[in-house]
Amino acid sequence: MSTYHILLFGICRDLLKSSTISIEKEGSVTVGEMLQILRSKHPALENLPSLRLAAEHRFPEPDFILSETMEIALIPPVSGG
């Protein structure tokens, strides 16, 4: 069983009332699968339209396989101008 520690920022941190969450998963997991897991385990995230996962300070493709030793962050939608 692998444990992935995910850093939370912005509205994600506010909604989940934490700066990190942990997800346990048997076998490997892709970025796309992890986003699905996060939304299913934390329904408050379902209404955020453009959540992204960063791994090692990069935005990998949905089929990228995560490692539990990576720095993983959940990045909420941002706006600016």
Side-chain angles (χ1 to χ4, degrees):
M1 183 79 60
S2 297
T3 302
Y4 299 86
H5 301 285
I6 300 162
L7 303 171
L8 302 175
F9 295 95
I11 194 165
C12 296
R13 181 185 292 206
D14 295 343
L15 289 171
L16 301 184
K17 298 177 179 33
S18 181
S19 61
T20 62
I21 55 175
S22 296
I23 299 292
E24 290 189 351
K25 173 86 167 69
E26 184 116 6
S28 63
V29 63
T30 66
V31 168
E33 291 168 338
M34 182 61 79
L35 283 170
Q36 290 176 340
I37 291 168
L38 289 168
R39 283 190 167 114
S40 69
K41 288 187 178 278
H42 301 282
L45 299 174
E46 288 182 7
N47 294 326
L48 298 178
S50 58
L51 285 178
R52 295 183 74 187
L53 269 187
E56 297 297 328
H57 305 273
R58 301 186 193 288
F59 290 111
E61 296 296 321
D63 61 348
F64 179 83
I65 297 173
L66 296 167
S67 165
E68 66 182 317
T69 60
M70 291 178 168
E71 181 181 80
I72 303 169
L74 185 61
I75 308 297
V78 294
S79 65

